[in-house]
Amino acid sequence: PEKGVAICKEGIAIADEYKIETKLFFLYSTLAENYKALGDHAKHAETLTNIISLKDSVYAKNSALALAEMQTKYELQKKENTNIQLELNLTRKNYRRKQKMKMQMALAEEKRHAEKGISEAEEKERKRIAADLHDNLGAYAASIASNLDSISFANDNPDNLIAIQELRNNSQAIV
């Protein structure tokens, strides 16, 4: 055990010098076992206290590192989420703008079609009215002229003949 104590102390000095904390637990545990084998309960207890201190300091150090690492990851994730949210908002805004533009174009196209339909309907109605006027007025005027001819032979009154002649001329003009 004396030789084990010496080797453990030498190993502890090397581990301290080169900052190899992971080996210190093993070395202190072995040192405590050697003190126990020697029957040196005071040094055994002191070594166990050193192990507890070492564990506490490594735990605190690792906890601080882990906490810092978690904080860094959290901040990074927070920034990534913010960027994703900004991209999403931009995408939504662009989508809405495109939809609005499509809607405006569709409304303009619909308005153009409606105006074209109205214009075509007006032209069709004009042609129908013109055809009705042409067909009906011509037939009526010809009928008037024919009736005037038959009246003029039956009535020899000079005033009536002038009026009938004037009606005939007007109906011919209409035809």
Side-chain angles (χ1 to χ4, degrees), residues 5-16:
V5 167
I7 291 172
C8 285
K9 284 185 176 182
E10 185 180 329
I12 290 170
I14 292 171
D16 281 339

Side-chain angles (χ1 to χ4, degrees), residues 58-77:
V58 168
Y59 175 76
K61 185 177 180 182
N62 286 342
S63 293
L65 287 173
L67 184 60
E69 185 178 314
M70 285 175 56
Q71 183 69 24
T72 302
K73 285 181 181 178
Y74 171 75
E75 291 297 325
L76 179 63
Q77 188 65 43

Side-chain angles (χ1 to χ4, degrees), residues 2 9-10 16 19 24 29 35 39 46 60 80 118 123 148 151 153 157 169 173-174:
E2 291 93 8
K9 284 185 176 182
E10 185 180 329
D16 281 339
K19 309 263 190 252
L24 286 176
S29 295
Y35 282 136
E46 181 184 330
E80 287 176 356
I118 290 170
E123 183 62 27
L148 285 174
I151 291 174
F153 292 121
N157 184 348
N169 291 341
I174 291 172

Side-chain angles (χ1 to χ4, degrees), residues 12 15 20-32 47 50-59 62:
I12 290 170
I20 307 172
E21 292 175 345
T22 56
K23 299 299 180 186
L24 286 176
F25 293 113
F26 170 74
L27 291 170
Y28 274 116
S29 295
T30 306
L31 181 62
T47 304
N50 285 343
I51 290 172
I52 292 170
S53 290
L54 180 64
K55 283 184 177 182
D56 287 346
S57 106
V58 168
Y59 175 76
N62 286 342

Side-chain angles (χ1 to χ4, degrees), residues 54-171:
L54 180 64
K55 283 184 177 182
D56 287 346
S57 106
V58 168
Y59 175 76
K61 185 177 180 182
N62 286 342
S63 293
L65 287 173
L67 184 60
E69 185 178 314
M70 285 175 56
Q71 183 69 24
T72 302
K73 285 181 181 178
Y74 171 75
E75 291 297 325
L76 179 63
Q77 188 65 43
K78 191 174 165 183
K79 286 180 183 177
E80 287 176 356
N81 288 346
T82 302
N83 288 341
I84 290 169
Q85 187 65 39
L86 289 173
E87 286 179 27
L88 178 63
N89 289 341
L90 184 61
T91 301
R92 282 181 181 163
K93 186 177 178 182
N94 285 340
Y95 177 76
R96 286 184 190 133
R97 190 175 69 233
K98 285 179 184 177
Q99 288 301 99
K100 187 177 179 181
M101 244 173 134
K102 283 181 183 178
M103 183 62 81
Q104 287 174 344
M105 289 174 64
L107 288 173
E109 183 70 18
E110 186 177 320
K111 184 178 178 183
R112 190 176 58 76
H113 281 297
E115 288 172 353
K116 184 178 178 185
I118 290 170
S119 176
E120 287 174 357
E122 286 175 347
E123 183 62 27
K124 187 176 178 181
E125 185 63 14
R126 279 189 199 101
K127 286 180 181 178
R128 185 192 65 77
I129 290 171
D132 282 351
L133 286 175
H134 178 268
D135 294 343
N136 292 339
L137 286 179
Y140 289 134
S143 174
I144 290 170
S146 173
N147 288 336
L148 285 174
D149 284 339
S150 64
I151 291 174
S152 67
F153 292 121
N155 194 351
D156 290 336
N157 184 348
D159 289 334
N160 286 343
L161 288 175
I162 293 172
I164 290 172
Q165 184 60 39
E166 194 172 321
L167 282 171
R168 184 180 293 122
N169 291 341
N170 288 340
S171 67

